[in-house]
Amino acid sequence: MSDTLYQGAALILPLVMAIVFHEVAHGYVARLLGDPTADDMGRLTLNPLRHVDPVGTVILPGMLALAHMPVFGWAKPVPVVPRQLRNPRRDMMLVALAGPGSNLVLAALGAVVLGLMVRLADGAPAGPAVGFVALNLFNFLSINVFLALFNLLPIPPFDGSHVVEGLLPRRLAAAYAGIRRTGFMLVLLLLVVLPQVIPGFDPVGRVVGPPVDWVLGHYLQLADLVANA
């Protein structure tokens, strides 16, 4: 139990930070492109209380992590009004990509800080506090990479679906957008229910896992480069 609490404590803060920055990035880019809705509603803040959804940000990710299942979650969606954007089809794609983009930037920062920690330690044994901080940084790096690539899946309501919608011809885009009404249930079915009832059914591991491992490996190389500079 103590190990479970330790691992959970090292997971919650990185997860909340990653999700909050992700949502703020959506709203900030929307404001730059003409839609001030998120700003008007006070959502362009890093205060997690304005973004955290108790179920989607804390309870569900925590339960999935303890069950050793793919961890995903959500915050309160930052409101975006497409018709207020200067070029709705193009700009919605940019707004959608801002979230994963922010997570990749945060992952780079996490890799640099992790590398600096290793460099400053200079081979000395790490105490409990240093080890806990290092675990938080590694989780921060891993979560941001996973969150970025996971959200690029072309399944509503993920960010990747807005990119696909913007690239499709208008008629097909309208039909594709109709999936959004049942998107959340589709996600739960594909990622939680079916893997439990069908042995070997693991869409996250097969589709998202390899690119996550590849990108994470490059960030860890960055951390190693900083550590040994």
Side-chain angles (χ1 to χ4, degrees):
M1 179 59 71
S2 61
D3 183 64
T4 299
L5 292 175
Y6 181 85
Q7 295 293 332
L11 179 70
I12 291 174
L13 181 59
L15 180 63
V16 170
M17 289 180 63
I19 291 178
V20 167
F21 272 90
H22 182 105
E23 291 299 326
V24 171
H26 286 316
Y28 182 74
V29 171
R31 187 182 69 177
L32 291 177
L33 296 174
D35 176 26
T37 305
D39 195 15
D40 293 343
M41 297 180 66
R43 294 295 303 279
L44 296 191
T45 172
L46 296 179
N47 179 0
L49 296 179
R50 300 302 303 270
H51 303 283
V52 167
D53 180 297
V55 174
T57 313
V58 179
I59 297 175
L60 178 61
M63 292 175 62
L64 292 174
L66 293 176
H68 302 289
M69 297 176 63
V71 176
F72 67 95
W74 61 88
K76 297 175 184 176
V78 166
V80 178
V81 181
R83 66 176 180 274
Q84 297 198 64
L85 298 170
R86 288 188 284 272
N87 185 329
R89 278 171 60 84
R90 180 203 66 191
D91 293 350
M92 274 303 297
M93 289 193 291
L94 296 176
V95 170
L97 290 172
S102 71
N103 292 126
L104 293 177
V105 171
L106 289 175
L109 292 175
V112 170
V113 175
L114 184 60
L116 288 173
M117 278 194 64
V118 174
R119 183 176 179 179
L120 292 174
D122 196 26
V130 174
F132 183 69
V133 172
L135 180 58
N136 270 270
L137 281 170
F138 180 77
N139 285 342
F140 183 72
L141 170 56
S142 303
I143 287 170
N144 273 287
V145 170
F146 179 82
L147 190 63
L149 300 186
F150 183 74
N151 268 280
L152 290 176
L153 288 172
I155 305 172
F158 294 147
D159 297 327
S161 68
H162 292 288
V163 177
V164 171
E165 193 174 329
L167 294 174
L168 288 173
R170 293 183 182 275
R171 182 173 298 179
L172 289 177
Y176 178 77
I179 304 175
R180 201 170 303 280
R181 292 189 295 271
T182 58
F184 181 70
M185 297 304 298
L186 179 62
V187 169
L188 287 180
L189 179 66
L190 288 174
L191 304 185
V192 179
V193 178
L194 291 182
Q196 295 300 303
V197 298
I198 302 177
F201 186 81
D202 182 16
V204 173
R206 294 178 182 275
V207 177
V208 184
V212 166
D213 290 341
W214 185 81
V215 174
L216 184 58
H218 282 75
Y219 278 116
L220 291 176
Q221 287 179 2
L222 172 61
D224 184 65
L225 182 64
V226 172
N228 296 289

